[in-house]
């Protein structure tokens, strides 16, 4: 396969850097361009970036940083790690200019004609691109991945919803500080502390989950008839969002049945074999004290959701703990996987 030239918008930030790491040696994509704010434009990437890893990939370090404008960025596939304050309008400009925008930003996730996709869960929702392009009159398109906590949650809920049907869910998150970007939460606020508020996070979980689990009907997504209540907390963990989940299912289900449904889940056929897809999208751990971010966040190269402590719940019926790497599974990795899905299914035509 001839590699597709791609660009990263917002490449100097924490999620932008995660895109750079994932794309530096990608078998399908060549990271040809990086773009960021006006204050970084014109500099070499290694000069404009406060790199958060050990070493910037050599092929990317010397790239000039461009502005986030389609007249300057030539790649037909652009990954957006832009902040939500600027992402909405910028992404629309790129799509109107014929580019395929694979966005990690929140701005367009709940637009009725924009696919909100986890490759293993709802790849059929990519058909919204046809509606989007006809409605908006542009030759490109915008595809979004979800909020980092929502992706981890839905990756664990989807097998159970498909097998048994979910009525209600109560979720409590313990979210890593890397989810706040860089520099993120001040150390004196985070260390030895739990912050029981993350702006807009509970709303994202409660709304996005229903779109992810919804069904595509007549060119629109009918949201799942599931009631979700979320409590979100920031905790002093570097990477890996942990979620405690209690569920009411359509019919009572024994923990062993839920364990089997999760263990056997392979995800949608379209997602299997993509370069970023893990061999097992959900990994079930039987130890009484797992999952743990320090031990499990990198499972499946950071793309697997790890589930444990599946047991009865005296209020709703079933409960468990889920955890996933928020920067990879919950952000850059999910977006790269969505781009792979578009290429593999022919939605992005050959260059």
């Amino acid at each position: 396969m001839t590699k597709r030239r791609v660009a990263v918008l917002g490449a100097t930030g924490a999620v932008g850097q995660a895109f750079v790491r994932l794309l530096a040696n990608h078998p399908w994509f060549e990271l040809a361009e990086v773009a960021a704010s006006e204050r970084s434009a014109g500099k070499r990437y290694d000069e404009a970036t406060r790199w958060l890893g050990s070493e910037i990939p050599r092929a990317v370090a010397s790239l000039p940083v461009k502005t986030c404008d389609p007249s300057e960025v030539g790649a037909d596939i652009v990954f957006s790690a832009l902040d939500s304050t600027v992402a909405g309008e910028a992404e629309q400009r790129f799509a109107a200019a014929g580019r395929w925008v694979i966005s990690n930003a929140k701005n367009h996730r709940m637009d009725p004609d924009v696919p909100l996709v986890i490759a293993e869960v709802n790849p059929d929702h990519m058909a919204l691109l046809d509606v989007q392009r006809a409605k908006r009159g542009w030759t490109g398109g915008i595809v979004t991945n979800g909020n980092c906590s929502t992706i981890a949650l839905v990756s664990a809920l989807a097998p159970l919803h498909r097998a048994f049907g979910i009525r209600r869910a109560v979720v409590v998150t313990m979210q890593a500080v890397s989810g706040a970007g860089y520099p993120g939460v001040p150390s004196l606020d985070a260390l030895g502390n739990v912050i029981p508020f993350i702006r807009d996070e509970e709303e994202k979980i409660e709304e996005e989950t229903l779109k992810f689990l919804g069904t595509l009907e007549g060119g629109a997504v009918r949201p799942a008839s599931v009631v979700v209540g979320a409590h979100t907390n920031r905790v002093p963990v570097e990477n890996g969002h942990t979620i405690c989940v209690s569920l009411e299912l359509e019919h009572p289900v024994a923990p062993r049945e839920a364990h089997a449904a999760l263990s056997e889940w392979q995800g949608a056929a379209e997602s299997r074999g993509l370069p970023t897809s893990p061999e097992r999208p959900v990994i079930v751990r039987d130890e009484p004290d797992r999952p743990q971010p320090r031990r499990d966040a990198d499972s499946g190269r950071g793309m697997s959701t790890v589930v444990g402590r599946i047991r009865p719940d005296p209020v709703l019926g079933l409960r468990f703990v889920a955890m996933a790497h928020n920067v990879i599974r919950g952000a850059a990795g999910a977006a790269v996987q969505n781009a792979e899905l578009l290429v593999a299914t022919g939605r992005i035509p050959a260059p």
Side-chain angles (χ1 to χ4, degrees), residues 47-101:
E47 295 171 343
T49 306
R50 182 167 182 174
W51 190 251
L52 301 177
S54 57
E55 185 177 351
I56 298 178
R58 185 174 300 176
V60 184
S62 60
L63 288 178
V65 178
K66 301 181 178 182
T67 61
C68 296
D69 191 296
S71 66
E72 189 167 344
V73 176
D76 63 340
I77 300 174
V78 295
F79 294 95
S80 174
L82 293 170
D83 186 85
S84 61
T85 56
V86 298
E89 183 179 343
E91 291 172 0
Q92 290 185 73
R93 288 199 307 270
F94 275 89
R99 316 302 172 77
W100 297 93
V101 181

Side-chain angles (χ1 to χ4, degrees), residues 14-15 148 175-186 198 234 238 241 326-327:
V15 173
C148 46
Q175 296 181 218
V177 291
S178 59
Y182 185 85
V185 183
I198 305 173
R234 188 74 71 194
E238 183 180 5
H241 287 354
N326 51 293
V327 179

Side-chain angles (χ1 to χ4, degrees), residues 120-134:
E120 292 91 348
V121 174
N122 61 331
D124 59 310
H125 289 196
M126 288 295 191
L128 286 176
L129 282 167
D130 300 330
V131 177
Q132 179 190 133
R133 299 172 81 197

Side-chain angles (χ1 to χ4, degrees), residues 87-337:
E89 183 179 343
E91 291 172 0
Q92 290 185 73
R93 288 199 307 270
F94 275 89
R99 316 302 172 77
W100 297 93
V101 181
I102 318 299
S103 175
N104 182 66
K106 69 178 183 179
N107 303 67
H108 297 294
R109 289 175 187 161
M110 298 306 295
D111 291 2
D113 60 351
V114 172
L116 175 68
V117 172
I118 299 171
E120 292 91 348
V121 174
N122 61 331
D124 59 310
H125 289 196
M126 288 295 191
L128 286 176
L129 282 167
D130 300 330
V131 177
Q132 179 190 133
R133 299 172 81 197
K135 175 182 174 182
R136 306 199 189 199
W138 55 36
T139 54
I142 299 173
V143 172
T144 60
N145 57 266
N147 165 263
C148 46
S149 293
T150 311
I151 292 176
L153 173 66
V154 171
S155 296
L157 292 186
L160 300 174
H161 189 55
R162 302 284 191 269
F164 311 115
I166 298 172
R167 287 180 177 171
R168 294 187 294 169
V170 176
V171 303
V172 179
T173 72
M174 291 164 279
Q175 296 181 218
V177 291
S178 59
Y182 185 85
V185 183
S187 61
L188 291 179
D189 288 340
L191 295 175
N193 197 21
V194 174
I195 303 171
F197 173 72
I198 305 173
R199 188 174 301 280
D200 299 329
E201 199 79 358
E202 291 165 358
E203 293 82 0
K204 293 176 191 174
I205 293 172
E206 293 167 359
E207 295 172 359
E208 292 175 17
T209 298
L210 307 191
K211 187 172 181 180
F212 275 127
L213 296 178
T215 55
L216 189 65
E217 299 177 359
V221 174
R222 180 168 65 86
S225 55
V226 178
V227 179
V228 180
H231 306 266
T232 59
N233 305 273
R234 188 74 71 194
V235 297
V237 169
E238 183 180 5
N239 293 307
H241 287 354
T242 302
I243 310 174
C244 297
V245 184
S246 291
L247 297 178
E248 179 184 20
L249 302 173
E250 295 290 346
H251 306 285
V253 171
R256 59 180 171 75
E257 296 175 277
H259 187 293
L262 289 161
S263 299
E264 294 166 5
W265 173 254
Q266 295 182 332
E270 298 94 324
S271 70
R272 299 172 204 164
L274 299 176
T276 302
S277 293
E279 181 179 350
R280 296 166 61 193
V282 175
I283 296 172
V284 180
R285 304 292 308 223
D286 293 322
E287 300 93 328
D289 60 351
R290 302 285 281 275
Q292 297 178 22
R294 180 172 292 176
R295 291 174 168 82
D296 298 312
D298 292 326
S299 298
R301 292 171 291 127
M303 286 293 288
S304 293
T305 297
V306 184
V307 175
R309 302 210 67 212
I310 304 170
R311 61 207 194 280
D313 184 277
V315 178
L316 294 182
L318 183 74
R319 55 186 163 176
F320 60 86
V321 179
M323 191 282 311
H325 197 302
N326 51 293
V327 179
I328 302 176
R329 172 76 273 186
V336 172
Q337 187 187 34

